[in-house]
Structures are given as C-alpha cells and as structure tokens.
Amino acid sequence: MIPSIKNICCIGAGYVGGPTMSVFADRCPNIEVNVVDVNKERISLWNSSNLNDLPIYEPGLKEIISRCKGRNLNFSTDVKKYIQLADMIFISVNTPTKKKGIGAGQASDLKWVEACARQVAEFAKGYTIVVEKSTLPVKTAEVIKKILDSTQTSPDKKFDKSFDVLSNPEFLSEGSAINDLENPDRVLIGGENENAISALSNIYKNWIPANKILHTNIWSSELAKLTANAFLAQRISSINSISALCEATGADVREVARAIGTDSRIGSKFLDSGPGFGGSCFKKDILNLVYLSKYFGLPEVASFWEGVVKLNNWHQHRISELIVKKLFGTTSGKKICIFGFAFKANTNDTRESAAIKICKDLLEEGSILFIHDPKVDPKQIEKDLGIKQSVLNGEISNVEHLSKYEGNWFFTNKIIPATYEADALCFLTEWEEYSELDWNLISQKMRKPAWVFDSRSIVSAKEVKKAGLNLWRIGDSSY
Ligand code: NAD
Ligand code: UGA
C-alpha cells in the first residue's frame, strides 16, 4: 500500500532545506511541513516577523514564507518532537569536505548525516520514509539504513519502528532556487521500495508533471547528483581555460562560446567565462568524486576530475596576478574597489567565492580594498578574509590617510563615492546594477592611469574605454 504522507520533517534549515520545504508547503497545503535545525540563530531568523531578516536571500522566497508560515510551514529547534510526528523525514544537512583523518581534503564528512540517522533511529515512531536530500557519496544510503535498522523498537518497547531510505538529490541553483524548485528539469528519486518511491512521487506530482519524475536505483541516484555537478563545473573550467588562450591569441571568449554553444550537442548554457566557479558544492562534490574513484581503484578517473578543480584554482590566482602586473607590478598602498563578493549574483552566499581568493591575494600584496556587495553582510566578509574591516573616520573621500591601511579593507554600500581616487575597479560578481554605471563620472573620480578589471563581462566595455579608462575583460585582448 502506498503510504499517505501528512507530516514531513526536514532536518537542516539551510540553503536547501529552507527554500525546498517552503515550496513543498506552498504546493501541498494538506501536508504539515516542519523544518528543524540545531542552529538556534538560524531558526530565529526564519521565524522573524520581519521577512527582510530571513537567513537566506532568494528571489521569491519571502512571498512564499509569508503565505505558508504559521499555516502548514513551521521552523523549530525541537528536532525530537518533529521527528516523532513525521511520516517522511528529509535529511538536508551540510556535507562538507573532511578536514582531517582518512580522506582529508577530498572525502565528504558525513558526521552530520550520521548524527541525523541516529536521531531518526531514536525518535521516529512506526513506519518512516527517510529521504536523503543532502548530496552524498554513492553508497551512503547503506550506512543510513544500517543505523536505522539497529533500532527496530522504541526504548520502552511500546511500538515497532521500520524505515525505508530513498535518495532524492536536489538540483536547485542558488539565486534561482524558487524557480528551480517550482519548475525543475527533473526530480530524481532512487530507491528499492516501490511504495515508498510512489509516496514521494505523489508529493511532487502536486506541481510537477509525472514525466519529469525519474526513478532509478538508489546508487544511480546518489552518483547522478555528483556527476551532474562535476559535468557543470567541468564546462566552466573548460571555458575558463579557453579564456586564457583567447587573451594570448586575440580571440574573444564570448565569440568562441557563442560559436560552440550553437552546436546543439554542446548547448549554450554554462559557457560564461568568469573568475572561476565558487559555491559550496562544485569543489566539494568533485573532490568527493575524486576520492571515490581512488577508493574504488580508478586513479585515471580520479586525476581526470581533479584537473577541473586544479584549473579553477589556477584561474583564480591568474586573475589576481594579472591585476598586480597591470598595476606596474605592485598594488601596495593602492586603492582597489571590489565589486561583488557573493559567489554569483542574486545570493548572499559567499562560500568558495572566487572573491575570497582574489581579495586575499590582493591584501597580501598590500592593496587597500573597498568591497561592495548588495547582499553580503560585511561580517561574513570578515569571516571569509580573516581580517576585521577597517572603519574610516568621516567621508569615504577622506583618502589622505589611506596609506596606513595597506593590506586592509573597508566595506562600502555606495558604488560611485567608493571609486574616489581608486587605482582600479575589479568586478567579481555579475550583479545587474554593475551593468548600468555612469562611466564618465567614475572616470573623473579615479586616480590615473586607472584600470577596470571585468571578470564577468558585466560592464559596458565601450563606455569604459570612451571614458578614458584602461580595461581588462576576461578572455579578450582587444582592449
Ligand atoms: P547549509 O550549511 O546551509 O545547511 C545545513 C543545516 O543543517 C545547517 O543550518 C546546520 O545547522 C544543520 N544541521 C547539521 N546537522 C544537524 C543535525 N544533526 N540536526 C539538525 N540540524 C543540523 O547547507 P546547504 O547549502 O543547505 O546544503 C545541504 C546539503 O544539500 C549539502 O549536502 C549540499 O551539498 C546539498 N546541496 C546544496 C545546494 C545549494 O545550493 N546550497 C544545492 C543542492 C544540494
Ligand atoms: C550548482 C548547480 O548548478 C546546481 O544544479 C546544484 O544543485 C548546486 O550547485 C549544488 O549542488 O549545490 P550553484 O552552486 O548554486 O548551483 O550555482 P551555479 O549557477 O551552478 O554557479 C556555480 C558557480 O559557477 C558560480 O560561481 C557561477 O558564477 C559560476 N558559473 C556558472 C560561471 O562562472 N559560468 C557559468 O556559465 C555558470
């Protein structure tokens, strides 16, 4: 019999758990959706009456939260209570790269997933479907099942417990999470028990056509998620490698991308050369694939995928190096504005952002950075750079005493004033507002000779040149 799901618990209220469960609650008003997390601060932000305080910025998220919170969507730190109530439990916790021990630097650290499995084993009642939403190494379901099966009765022996485990990886991208969840290319469900698979499929069928819901065995589902991220990241390293060749040869990477992207076998998406891929997942998931390949005795496969990450690291340093070279070999004491710190536009997430490496390199050179980002909190930048922000006494234009701030950084929420007496502007995130700047005004403010470094092809190259500024644009040697 196909179980009817009335109560869902999602463990992990992060970038995946929060938006995914909000869309579930919105599209399935008859299901109670409870999102639990051990992080009290995060839960209190999800519960804030001011929707501008939500812990995650995603276009469209606020509207859904305002419709569903208090109706059938609830955020809580009471993990035990909501596990007990649930018919279906999603594990949506972090799975970062291991920092120490066997597999350090490559394998996924599964301690949070294991902790969830133990909590579920202890608190669940009756029959429960456990769904892997986190991205996991292939074969993790086996570990989860072993932990769950070790507790078949409640401690007081009052009721039996039984579990099925499904894999249902998430393919959303940050910045477009709501649209990706509402109109996904596909939903992937891996598992063995047909009834459990149907129970989860029936939830998705509330808003997703049945032909977009794919069923596979559980190992294919786990591996497909890692493979999808590896293929996407591989495209970015491929086009970024070509951008360096374009700069050396006089070709233009945008033209090359357009020319190859019109081949329907290649396709036009994911061919934008940039400062190198960031985000919490590409690097960690490829490294995990590398680890698994080595573990299963396939060193050639491991080194093929490792190359994607190596190219990305090289490319990010390539950008900071060329900035230093163009500024006469030193940026010590020079004022450089960094426009964009998030790893991509439309998110406040900075995890693995190219901006972190590039800013660290420039600070190491003694640059004075003015960092702007419309959504990133300066406290997050402090954590990422490991240096406290400096505070100017008075107006941004009081630059006389800037030299004492070598190797330090300021946060600014004003674009034009920040450019005052700057030697260079460096665009690292493709925020829309950077495409509409008044270049004549900016040129008047900057110290000459002044440079614009555009790693996202976001500014108007013609206007920058017309305003008398030097321009470096990724994958283009014509300026
Ligand atoms: P995140 O760090 O934003 O959120 C994870 C949350 O889980 C944290 O708030 C943490 O406090 C909580 N948590 C950890 N252990 C817990 C426990 N035992 N009990 C209760 N709460 C616990 O992570 P995320 O970005 O949402 O990613 C989650 C998973 O989804 C990862 O495996 C990731 O690879 C995968 N994924 C992420 C994205 C993305 O865009 N961020 C997309 C697809 C898949
Ligand atoms: C990525 C995948 O796209 C999602 O399908 C997946 O679910 C998710 O990882 C995950 O598993 O975490 P995300 O990291 O949110 O999503 O963002 P992407 O849009 O994929 O961008 C990743 C990085 O690549 C960003 O730094 C972005 O700027 C860069 N990028 C992307 C480029 O440099 N060029 C492109 O053409 C596309």
Side-chain angles (χ1 to χ4, degrees), residues 258-304:
R258 184 155 51 93
I260 64 167
T262 46
D263 184 325
S264 58
R265 292 167 303 173
I266 296 176
S268 60
K269 291 183 182 162
F270 257 70
L271 285 179
D272 292 330
S273 186
F277 60 76
S280 61
C281 295
F282 278 176
K283 185 170 146 202
K284 100 172 153 60
D285 292 349
I286 297 177
L287 291 174
N288 190 209
L289 207 56
V290 169
Y291 178 74
L292 287 170
S293 306
K294 285 184 188 162
Y295 179 83
F296 287 106
L298 299 165
E300 288 78 9
V301 178
S303 78
F304 174 77

Side-chain angles (χ1 to χ4, degrees), residues 2-3 5 8 21 24 28 31 88-90 129-133 165-169 187-190 193-207 213 215:
I2 301 171
I5 305 300
I8 286 176
M21 290 301 128
F24 270 45
C28 313
I31 300 180
M88 185 176 271
I89 296 173
F90 288 79
I129 299 172
V130 177
V131 184
E132 298 174 343
K133 197 42 130 174
V165 179
L166 300 177
S167 160
N168 172 222
V187 165
L188 180 57
I189 303 177
N193 182 311
E194 288 299 327
N195 285 335
I197 293 172
S198 298
L200 181 54
S201 297
N202 286 344
I203 296 177
Y204 281 111
K205 279 184 194 160
N206 282 306
W207 75 101
I213 303 175
H215 297 172

